[in-house]
Amino acid sequence: MSRIERLHSQGIQSYPARTGRTHTVRQAREPGAAGNATVIAGRLIRLDPRVGSGALEDWTGTVDLVLDDPALSGMLSRIRAGDLVECAGTCGDDAYTVTGLRLLAPCLRGAPEKEAAGGAPESEAASSAPDREVAGAVRLRADILAGTRAYFESRGFIAVDTPTFMAVPDLTPALSSFRTEYVDGEGGTRPLYLQTSPEHYMKRLLAAGCERIYQICRFYRNGERFDTHHPEFTGLEWYEAYADYETVMATTEDYVTSLAGTLNHGGELTYQGTAIDLRTPWPRYRMRDCFLDRSGIDLDVCDDLEAFSSAARARDYEVREDDDWDDLFHRVFLTAVEPALPADRPVFLTEYPARLPSLARRVPGKPRYVERFELYMGGLELANAFTELNDPVEQRARFEADLEVKRSKEGPDRYDGGVDEALLAALEYGMPPSGGIAFGLDRLAMLFADADTIDPVIMFRDF
């Protein structure tokens, strides 16, 4: 006989439709409620019928239970740790004295998150660690999202909501877009792609006259699953017309320090044992200087793959036969430059090589480089920003160059279609000089949670 069948045979309703809860645990423990009759509800995280004690947890907290009333003995023999229950009684200084007990939903298995991690259901003690982990992540993310919205709304930015589907994939050679198909009523199909970023749509809004915009949304990048990245992640983008990437840097400093204050971290954040000093201004390092200092390679003399490969081999870096310029750059960067960035300060890396795909303007007087920065904190790359390219002729040329790379690929990353003509039309209409940024909120949550991987701060980690 199953547990549900046994409960029914004993006249106990296993899934009642209503609960009479009058107080949360936190409310029941407030001084004004002490000694008053209340009804609380939540999960039994500990139960010892032999001594008449237990503990109940809800969204707001945990309270010890006194279960020594003889009238409870029948129900105590039928409930288990892990069950969801309703308790009537009064709350004193140290515990909640239960006078009435009702089952709301039996626990028939261990917490899914716990079992997935190799745990097992427990009988006398139901560990609430998985529940607390999920609840903690939910609260932290809610606080980050609320703080982010409040920050940008208070500074005159408006929230926008653009489509997730794109008619053209991201042409950046290093990125892989998720592809799906729309089927119309006649059975015809057309390919659609999940956005890797809302950037194209938001730039069209800049051209349409929306001067200060932000968006919190999902980003999708196929093939990217590692400790600090998930194929579906939450990001923030904001754009400001009549601005540049220096403006975006200043806003980034202000946003992060303001959010840290909102989350009670003040001017210092500790991540993985290292105290990160958030006082502004944050250090700014040019990419060429960092590359030369840490790898010994001068990007000024690496205009083509042959020159770059020769310089890399001379310094014992791996060079592969199928490398392109981007591959070699990122291998040396990840080997020599990124690990050497200071962990105790947020750092802006600026002036990236123009050879790397981006939608950024070139640095005046330095055609090898573009006005782009990435933000690093605690060894994590958090953001990527540009002074946005608004020249439609140069943008088309960059799109066409990236398209040639996509057409040369094999497998799902091959793309034989066209470029984003809608964005180019917006640039031809006229997009003002602007600054913009993509900011990873999941990685920011990692910092505030002091988590060494992204998994604890995202929901429903099915893969």
Side-chain angles (χ1 to χ4, degrees):
M1 182 182 295
S2 71
R3 186 182 177 205
I4 296 296
E5 291 171 333
R6 285 197 302 273
L7 290 171
H8 288 174
S9 70
Q10 295 163 347
I12 297 173
Q13 189 177 1
S14 50
Y15 298 100
R18 300 287 186 273
T19 175
R21 184 168 80 165
T22 61
H23 290 65
T24 65
V25 166
R26 180 182 298 162
Q27 291 168 339
R29 300 188 70 171
E30 289 175 353
N36 295 333
T38 59
V39 179
I40 61 175
R43 190 175 298 277
L44 278 174
I45 61 170
R46 179 172 55 80
L47 178 63
D48 189 343
R50 295 167 298 180
V51 297
S53 71
L56 179 141
E57 182 177 68
D58 72 3
W59 181 246
T60 65
T62 303
V63 64
D64 288 330
L65 302 178
V66 177
L67 298 159
D68 57 4
D69 188 329
L72 302 176
S73 59
M75 182 59 76
L76 286 176
S77 67
R78 297 173 174 87
I79 62 172
R80 300 176 180 176
D83 288 348
L84 293 169
V85 298
E86 176 186 281
C87 299
T90 57
C91 198
D93 293 335
D94 300 319
Y96 189 93
T97 300
V98 180
T99 56
L101 182 61
R102 187 163 70 109
L103 179 67
L104 297 179
C107 178
L108 303 178
R109 58 173 289 167
E113 295 274 354
K114 182 178 178 66
E115 289 187 1
E122 300 179 41
S123 56
E124 294 303 315
S127 172
S128 63
D131 294 337
R132 287 176 180 166
E133 177 185 317
V134 171
V138 169
R139 287 183 182 278
L140 174 61
R141 293 178 70 90
D143 290 343
I144 290 173
L145 295 179
T148 298
R149 293 187 184 103
Y151 176 86
F152 285 99
E153 297 287 343
S154 71
R155 285 156 180 81
F157 286 77
I158 61 171
V160 298
D161 182 21
T162 59
T164 298
F165 286 131
M166 298 185 68
V168 174
D170 191 320
L171 296 179
T172 305
L175 295 182
S176 179
S177 298
F178 282 95
R179 183 184 186 277
T180 188
E181 266 190 356
Y182 167 72
V183 182
D184 63 28
E186 304 299 321
T189 63
R190 64 172 293 188
L192 291 172
Y193 304 87
L194 292 178
Q195 66 180 9
T196 60
S197 155
E199 179 176 8
H200 288 207
Y201 288 122
M202 295 185 77
K203 286 184 173 178
R204 289 164 63 181
L205 291 176
L206 287 172
C210 301
E211 296 185 5
R212 304 186 103 193
I213 53 178
Y214 80 97
Q215 180 168 188
I216 299 170
C217 63
R218 293 291 192 174
F219 294 53
Y220 302 89
R221 297 183 181 178
N222 208 349
E224 298 188 13
R225 180 65 167 108
F226 40 90
D227 283 350
T228 60
H229 193 76
H230 192 275
E232 178 186 5
F233 63 96
T234 302
L236 160 71
E237 291 205 4
W238 76 82
Y239 293 82
E240 184 171 359
Y242 309 106
D244 59 18
Y245 82 148
E246 293 284 352
T247 310
V248 177
M249 271 190 255
T251 302
T252 301
E253 290 177 332
D254 192 45
Y255 161 62
V256 173
T257 55
S258 173
L259 188 61
T262 299
L263 299 178
N264 299 317
H265 286 279
E268 186 175 275
L269 176 68
T270 299
Y271 181 66
Q272 300 298 291
T274 298
I276 303 174
D277 181 0
L278 299 179
R279 288 176 299 174
T280 61
W282 297 343
R284 290 151 167 76
Y285 301 125
R286 287 190 294 268
M287 179 60 80
R288 183 206 172 209
D289 297 338
C290 287
F291 229 79
L292 186 59
D293 180 54
R294 297 300 179 180
S295 73
I297 297 173
D298 187 356
L299 292 173
D300 273 2
V301 296
C302 293
D303 288 332
D304 56 43
L305 179 59
E306 183 179 355
F308 198 176
S309 298
S310 177
R313 287 192 183 95
R315 289 158 184 81
D316 296 325
Y317 290 103
E318 180 186 7
V319 179
R320 301 171 187 169
E321 287 186 8
D322 60 348
D323 275 343
D324 58 23
W325 200 95
D326 299 7
D327 294 331
L328 190 52
F329 172 87
H330 285 107
R331 187 176 306 118
V332 176
F333 176 77
L334 293 174
T335 301
V337 180
E338 186 179 82
L341 295 175
D344 61 348
R345 291 282 281 154
V347 172
F348 291 119
L349 278 184
T350 69
E351 297 188 9
Y352 275 62
R355 289 290 303 261
L356 298 174
S358 73
L359 305 184
R361 294 179 63 96
R362 294 181 189 271
V363 177
K366 297 181 181 179
R368 289 188 177 92
Y369 302 95
V370 294
E371 292 192 337
R372 170 186 177 185
F373 75 76
E374 290 190 348
L375 169 65
Y376 280 82
M377 287 180 62
L380 297 175
E381 176 203 337
L382 290 185
N384 184 30
F386 309 144
T387 299
E388 302 295 343
L389 179 62
N390 62 346
D391 179 341
V393 175
E394 184 174 353
Q395 184 62 79
R396 182 177 291 278
R398 293 196 198 179
F399 276 163
E400 295 288 353
D402 291 344
L403 184 58
E404 286 303 310
V405 177
K406 287 290 190 182
R407 286 174 174 166
S408 70
K409 289 180 176 288
E410 300 294 335
D413 287 338
R414 181 181 176 86
Y415 173 69
D416 293 309
V419 300
D420 190 345
E421 294 290 350
L423 175 58
L424 292 171
L427 298 185
E428 289 168 357
Y429 175 65
M431 188 187 89
S434 305
I437 188 170
F439 201 113
L441 293 183
D442 294 338
R443 290 186 184 176
L444 186 61
M446 285 177 61
L447 285 167
F448 286 127
D450 194 19
D452 61 348
T453 73
I454 202 169
D455 285 5
V457 298
I458 59 177
M459 304 295 100
F460 309 116
R461 305 180 294 273
D462 292 332
F463 68 97

